[in-house]
Amino acid sequence: MAKYLLLKHYRGAPKGVNDVPMEQWTPDEVTAHLKYMQDFAKRLEATGEFVDGQALAPEGTFVRYDGEGRPPITDGPFAETKDLIAGWMTIDVDSYQRAVELAGELSAAPGAGGKPIHEWLELRPFLAEPPTVTE
């Protein structure tokens, strides 16, 4: 089994076919989209392929260590994940091909007008165990 991260982007990927921002969807369209995502996750739980997934809030802050007791906090000027990533799902599958298949299916979640959004999802494998050096 290999773990993959499916990233749902706000922007940065090519435009989807049904490219209407979620804030312009009706409450019923948002509900249908979320139900699709939940049903997808439940189906993968049943097959043992679902690890975890979360939608992300639009707020976010960059923080770094800058000496004892002084973590600087900023809201820019960088591209921040709050501007780029809407949510993620981690899957644990037998092959890269299966990960691609599931990402393609998740891309068909409904959006405005109940039509599939055909959004681009970023598929990233988890880094495997680093090689062990022996003498």
Side-chain angles (χ1 to χ4, degrees):
M1 300 289 276
K3 289 185 180 160
Y4 288 86
L5 184 63
L6 301 171
L7 290 170
K8 294 177 68 64
H9 289 270
Y10 282 122
R11 60 187 173 98
K15 298 256 186 238
V17 173
N18 187 2
D19 189 37
V20 177
M22 187 179 267
E23 57 270 5
Q24 295 176 18
W25 298 359
T26 67
D28 287 343
E29 291 166 345
V30 172
T31 299
H33 180 81
L34 296 176
K35 182 174 180 347
Y36 183 96
M37 302 291 294
Q38 291 164 348
D39 291 348
F40 183 83
K42 284 179 188 173
R43 189 168 48 82
L44 295 186
E45 282 176 355
T47 64
E49 296 173 306
F50 180 80
V51 176
D52 195 12
Q54 296 293 323
L56 298 174
E59 303 84 34
T61 304
F62 265 89
V63 178
R64 76 160 194 228
Y65 178 78
D66 198 29
E68 197 62 38
R70 299 184 317 238
I73 298 172
T74 184
D75 190 33
F78 334 106
E80 300 181 39
T81 56
K82 70 179 181 182
D83 298 325
L84 302 175
I85 300 173
W88 53 270
M89 182 178 288
T90 302
I91 57 175
D92 195 357
V93 295
D94 288 329
S95 67
Y96 171 76
Q97 290 76 17
R98 177 66 175 153
V100 168
E101 176 186 332
L102 292 175
E105 187 176 333
L106 189 57
S107 169
K115 296 177 184 168
I117 54 180
H118 297 276
E119 70 180 325
W120 286 92
L121 298 172
E122 183 179 356
L123 178 63
R124 300 220 17 217
F126 279 36
L127 185 61
E129 188 83 18
T132 303
V133 177
T134 59
E135 294 186 45

